[in-house]
């Protein structure tokens, strides 16, 4: 006896599901459907033909019985008998005399034949107690009919059902052979259809196994335009998305490593100087140099903290969100302005905001707007003004514009300012991680929007976030 294993035991899978693959189940389903249809049609046809044949047998036997009753009497050596006795070679015919019971009844029949079977039902017809009788005699396997012929007598006819049963047996054999052939053809067709239809699934399975084993994200060839072709196209899209994600991750790690190397090297150098100066017998550092080194270390730690925070923010934004919520963009911009004003020093803000509502992540959008405001503050001179605008465009989108009074952006830098770790020549001397505008771009794209960089009419930089939504 085969042990199927306990629930969760891989042996159960081995002897259960794996023995019936999808191709096998399709073949079995096709064969079962055809078998069911053939069985229903065959049973229906057999029952109809059987009923018709037996009805024809009964009708013919009754007609001959009526003809026998109506036939003239013929004088024989002993007595007169119906003339039908002379033309009934294919059946048994007899004339039954009335009697009180079967034991005393007398059946007259042709000498060349045998007496038809009779019992109390035929005797009731001869006695006039019943108008007619039609029954099956299972001892002789024949149909028996009796009609009264007058004078206390009844004509009894019996015909064998053997020929009818042989015809029905031949019909059953033919239906069985045709049905079996149909089932075999259906199984073969189901196998062929399953093999052809599941070939793309086999390719998908092989590709998934290849990705799991090797990490190879090459797309699968697509043929046709059916559901499986669309599934393959979707799978290729998923592979492309995974490949892009891996490439972005590799690029982020490489860029982050490059950006971290400089402040870490500088920190190590400064710390080694402080440690060397603190050793016994080492010449002491001048107080001015010590203050400069400590200030440098503090600035580098701030730079590292900001860089790590931006990296964490980018990683957090890459995480899938279960659901977004209703966002009042005007309130988001106002909260970002409150935070920017606290660290803007002498910078002024010229603000004009109109209500706008969208579905998204409040914190992500607030961080994006705050990054634009911090960027504008960083490049604006003291006592300058930063312009902040929020207004709809009339096409189902609204824009958040932040313009500064700084030196602006060089034309060659405009396409790159939102790239990760990209810093223009003017910005390399200023504090920052090079990720602030990349976070802005990422947040806008996650909400179905876009970002733009251009020159402000006043000469500074103009940064724009465009987001879909509806007027508030």
């Amino acid at each position: 006896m085969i042990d199927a294993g306990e629930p969760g035991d891989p042996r159960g899978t081995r002897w259960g599901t794996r023995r019936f693959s999808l191709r096998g189940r399709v073949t079995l389903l096709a064969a079962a459907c055809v078998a069911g249809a053939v069985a229903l049609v065959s049973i229906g046809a057999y029952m109809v033909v059987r009923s018709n044949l037996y009805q024809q047998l009964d009708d013919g036997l009754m007609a001959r019985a009526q003809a026998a009753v109506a036939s003239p009497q013929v004088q024989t050596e002993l007595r007169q008998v119906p003339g039908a006795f002379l033309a009934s070679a294919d059946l048994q015919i007899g004339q039954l005399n009335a009697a009180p019971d079967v034991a005393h009844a007398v059946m007259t029949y042709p000498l060349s034949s045998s007496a038809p079977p009779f019992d109390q039902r035929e005797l009731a017809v001869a006695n006039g107690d019943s108008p007619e009788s039609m029954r099956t005699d299972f001892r002789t396997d024949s149909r028996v009919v009796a009609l009264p012929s007058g004078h206390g007598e009844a004509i009894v006819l019996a015909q064998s059902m053997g020929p009818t049963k042989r015809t029905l047996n031949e019909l059953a054999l033919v239906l069985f052979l045709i049905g079996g052939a149909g089932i075999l053809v259906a199984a073969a067709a189901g196998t062929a259809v399953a093999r052809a239809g599941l070939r793309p699934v086999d390719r998908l399975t092989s590709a998934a196994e290849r990705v799991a084993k090797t990490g190879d994200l090459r797309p699968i060839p697509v043929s046709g335009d059916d559901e499986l072709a669309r599934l393959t196209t979707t799978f290729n899209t998923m592979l492309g998305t995974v490949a892009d994600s891996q490439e972005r991750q590799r690029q982020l790690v490489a860029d982050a490593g490059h950006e971290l190397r400089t402040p870490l090297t500088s920190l190590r150098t400064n710390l080694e100087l402080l440690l060397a100066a603190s050793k016994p017998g080492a010449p002491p550092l001048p107080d001015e140099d010590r203050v400069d080194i400590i200030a440098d270390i503090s600035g580098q730690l701030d730079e590292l903290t900001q860089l790590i925070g931006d990296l964490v923010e980018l990683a957090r934004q890459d995480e899938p969100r279960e659901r977004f919520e209703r966002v009042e963009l005007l309130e988001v911009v106002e909260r970002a302005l409150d935070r920017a004003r606290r660290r803007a020093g002498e910078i002024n803000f010229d603000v004009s905001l109109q209500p706008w509502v969208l579905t998204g992540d409040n914190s992500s959008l607030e961080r994006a707007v705050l990054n634009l405001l911090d960027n504008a503050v960083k490049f604006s001179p003291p006592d300058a003004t930063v312009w902040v605008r929020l207004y709809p465009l009339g096409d189902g989108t609204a824009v958040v514009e932040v313009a500064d009074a700084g030196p602006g952006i060089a034309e060659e830098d405009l396409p790159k300012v939102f790239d990760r770790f990209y810093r223009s020549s003017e910005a390399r001397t200023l504090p920052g991680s090079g990720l602030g505008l990349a976070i802005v771009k990422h947040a806008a794209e996650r909400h179905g929007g876009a970002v733009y960089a251009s020159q402000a009419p006043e000469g500074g930089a103009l940064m724009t976030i465009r987001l879909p939504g509806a007027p508030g």
Side-chain angles (χ1 to χ4, degrees), residues 57-69 91-96 107 116-118 121-122 125 131-137 142-148 154-159:
L57 176 64
D58 289 348
D59 292 344
L61 193 58
M62 180 62 74
R64 296 183 70 173
Q66 292 170 349
V69 170
L91 48 77
Q92 296 170 296
I93 186 171
Q95 183 171 291
L96 181 64
M107 174 72 74
F118 68 94
R121 283 166 286 190
E122 285 76 27
V125 175
E132 64 180 37
S133 172
M134 174 75 75
R135 67 181 178 88
T136 298
D137 188 81
S142 60
R143 291 288 284 176
V144 181
V145 62
L147 290 177
I155 295 296
V156 180
L157 279 75
Q159 186 168 3

Side-chain angles (χ1 to χ4, degrees), residues 34-35 38-39 41-43 46 168-186:
V34 172
V38 168
V41 172
S42 299
I43 292 174
Y46 180 84
L168 290 175
N169 290 337
E170 292 174 358
L171 174 63
L173 179 61
V174 170
L175 290 176
F176 178 78
L177 293 177
I178 293 176
I183 293 172
L184 293 177
V185 171

Side-chain angles (χ1 to χ4, degrees), residues 397-467:
T397 63
V399 292
V400 178
E401 294 181 345
V402 178
D404 60 49
I409 304 173
E411 290 294 331
E412 61 271 16
D413 291 328
L414 286 176
K416 305 174 184 178
V417 294
F418 292 102
D419 294 344
R420 291 176 176 177
F421 298 107
Y422 181 79
R423 304 182 74 182
S424 64
S425 55
E426 293 82 2
R428 286 171 189 164
T429 58
L430 298 174
S433 64
L435 292 174
L437 295 182
I439 292 173
V440 174
K441 179 182 178 182
H442 193 280
E445 291 177 347
R446 286 184 68 233
H447 290 80
V451 291
Y452 309 96
S454 60
Q455 301 291 349
E458 293 78 9
L462 174 62
M463 301 292 181
T464 304
I465 304 177
R466 185 174 182 177
L467 295 169

Side-chain angles (χ1 to χ4, degrees), residues 354-367:
Q354 298 183 34
W356 190 255
V357 178
L358 69 153
T359 301
D361 181 10
N362 266 294
S363 61
S364 176
L365 291 173
E366 183 178 340
R367 178 63 184 269

Side-chain angles (χ1 to χ4, degrees), residues 204 218-222 231-241:
L204 285 176
R218 288 176 300 173
I220 307 170
V222 181
L231 175 61
T232 305
T233 302
T234 304
F235 191 80
N236 286 339
T237 303
M238 182 189 70
L239 291 179
T241 302

